[in-house]
Amino acid sequence: MPQMMPINWLILMFFFLFIFIVFNMMNYYIFNFKMKKQNKNKFLTKNSIWKW
């Protein structure tokens, strides 16, 4: 593409790889934080009521 500035393909690959890794880490920690918050209430109620 003529309008694209001349960036090395290796640098471009590392740039997208970095964005991909940061996005996945952010998604993992947000999801993990939500699950920890929800699991505190669930474990307290479910573990206290055992019916065999």
Side-chain angles (χ1 to χ4, degrees), residues 34-49:
K34 285 182 181 177
M35 288 299 293
K36 281 184 181 178
K37 207 171 188 181
Q38 290 175 357
N39 282 343
K40 285 182 182 178
N41 295 334
K42 285 183 182 178
F43 282 133
L44 288 173
T45 56
K46 284 187 179 179
N47 286 342
S48 60
I49 304 170

Side-chain angles (χ1 to χ4, degrees), residues 17-46:
L17 189 67
F18 176 73
I19 290 174
F20 179 72
I21 290 171
V22 167
F23 179 75
N24 284 333
M25 285 174 60
M26 185 178 66
N27 196 10
Y28 171 75
Y29 284 114
I30 287 172
F31 183 73
N32 199 11
F33 181 71
K34 285 182 181 177
M35 288 299 293
K36 281 184 181 178
K37 207 171 188 181
Q38 290 175 357
N39 282 343
K40 285 182 182 178
N41 295 334
K42 285 183 182 178
F43 282 133
L44 288 173
T45 56
K46 284 187 179 179

Side-chain angles (χ1 to χ4, degrees), residues 1-16:
M1 293 183 183
Q3 290 93 5
M4 189 173 165
M5 69 185 268
I7 300 175
N8 192 357
W9 289 108
L10 192 62
I11 294 172
L12 198 63
M13 186 190 73
F14 284 131
F15 179 70
F16 284 120

